[in-house]
Amino acid sequence: MLAEALFFSAVLFTIGVVGVLTRRNAIIVFMCVELMLNAVNLSFVAFSQVYGVAGQVFVFFVMTVAAAEAAVGLAIIIALFRHRQTVNLQNINLLKG
Amino acid sequence: MQPTLPLFYTFNFYVFGIVAIIAAVLFVTRRSPVAAAMWLVTTMFALAALYIMMDAQFIGAIQVLVYAGAIMVVFLFVIMLLNLGQPSDVADARGRGWKLVAAAIGVAMLAQIFALTRAHVQPSIPPGYLARQIEYTGVIAPVAGPLFNEYLLAFEVTSVLLLAAVVGAVVLGRRRTAVEDAADAR
């Protein structure tokens, strides 16, 4: 089932990329990033069937990084909302100059 | 890979994969953040089922507990905290130009990744090795062994990462006190 799992993983990753590019709600963009991480995890697990269990250990680390990223990212979103009263990325473009 | 897989296994594998993809498509097209989060949870459950079918039972359980449980609850909590539950009509999706660019990039990436998955894979362990290992030692031992031997340093560094994330989240999320505001004004 390696080829099928990799196909599902590729489709999910692409859906995540398209979501990041087309949505403006910061929280949904953030959830799209989580979807991309999940797609990569699926690839890792699929490859662990043919290359040994190290892939599953990597999934473990990816999940830890995702948890840390969710905590910090959502704190940033809350701080942004407190300043601008919005999470629409169109209104949060100060760095663009 | 096993030479002959039961039809039941193959059928279920496709069912969960297709459920994951459909839920992901619904997730990026929903307007309401809460509905989107619910569809993302569905995707994660389907992925957990796929993990379990690919001899990664422990990862499947962790997927449900940590991803579908903890991380998505944090997301829903923030949606609730910021009162974003209503589907907002404030031009959430980007314009036509952005959508075309996104579609082009999506198709290009899909073609690239798909071409990569067609590459010849030389298995380094015999087929069914993982399943036999799990049969002998249980589900957790094959993951725990490398985690605490070969990858011990990475495991320890992870704890520092989590500490930094906790401190960062607290610092970013707290309110500024009046004393600090006065100090800045001076």
Side-chain angles (χ1 to χ4, degrees):
Chain A
M1 301 318 272
L2 178 64
E4 290 86 347
L6 291 179
F7 171 74
F8 293 142
S9 165
V11 172
L12 286 175
F13 191 89
T14 311
I15 292 171
V17 171
V18 171
V20 167
L21 290 174
T22 53
R23 298 303 297 263
R24 283 208 184 98
N25 189 331
I27 289 182
I28 290 189
V29 168
F30 208 44
M31 286 196 281
C32 287
V33 175
E34 298 288 331
L35 181 65
M36 284 152 74
L37 286 171
N38 267 282
V40 173
N41 282 350
L42 182 60
S43 288
F44 270 131
V45 171
F47 277 126
S48 82
Q49 277 189 313
V50 285
Y51 288 128
V53 83
Q56 297 186 18
V57 179
F58 268 74
V59 173
F60 211 78
F61 289 130
V62 171
M63 280 183 184
T64 318
V65 172
E69 172 233 327
V72 175
L74 288 171
I76 290 174
I77 289 178
I78 290 179
L80 268 178
F81 187 83
R82 210 174 269 156
H83 274 279
R84 313 294 297 267
Q85 309 302 321
T86 179
V87 289
N88 190 331
L89 290 179
Q90 205 176 20
N91 305 334
I92 306 171
N93 54 6
L94 271 184
L95 277 182
K96 236 163 77 179
Chain B
M1 226 180 292
Q2 288 91 339
T4 52
L5 284 166
L7 184 64
F8 184 67
Y9 179 94
T10 314
F11 175 76
N12 274 313
F13 198 88
Y14 276 100
V15 166
F16 282 119
I18 289 165
V19 165
I21 288 172
I22 291 173
V25 169
L26 287 169
F27 151 63
V28 290
T29 50
R30 290 309 95 180
R31 271 185 179 282
S32 154
V34 176
M38 286 297 135
W39 282 114
L40 186 56
V41 170
T42 312
T43 305
M44 285 169 176
F45 267 109
L47 284 179
L50 288 183
Y51 294 167
I52 289 167
M53 294 183 79
M54 289 192 292
D55 297 326
Q57 289 89 348
F58 182 60
I59 299 294
I62 294 290
Q63 166 90 358
V64 172
L65 287 175
V66 172
Y67 254 123
I71 294 183
M72 290 317 293
V73 166
V74 172
F75 272 98
L76 284 172
F77 210 77
V78 169
I79 292 170
M80 185 195 77
L81 203 65
L82 304 186
N83 201 13
L84 301 170
Q86 309 88 353
S88 47
D89 289 322
V90 283
D92 184 14
R94 290 180 192 267
R96 180 178 293 269
W98 269 98
K99 276 184 179 154
L100 284 177
V101 170
I105 291 176
V107 169
M109 278 196 68
L110 196 60
Q112 271 183 2
I113 304 175
F114 199 61
L116 282 178
T117 63
R118 295 285 114 188
H120 180 63
V121 173
Q122 185 66 51
S124 64
I125 59 172
Y129 177 76
L130 211 55
R132 277 201 301 282
Q133 210 180 355
I134 286 170
E135 219 168 277
Y136 287 135
T137 61
V139 169
I140 298 181
V143 186
L147 182 63
F148 292 114
N149 290 310
E150 293 162 70
Y151 301 103
L152 184 63
L153 180 65
F155 179 77
E156 297 293 347
V157 170
T158 299
S159 61
V160 180
L161 170 76
L162 284 175
L163 178 68
V166 168
V167 173
V170 169
V171 169
L172 283 169
R174 84 202 163 108
R175 255 175 226 289
R176 291 173 60 84
T177 58
V179 177
E180 283 173 317
D181 283 339
D184 275 1
R186 241 184 288 126

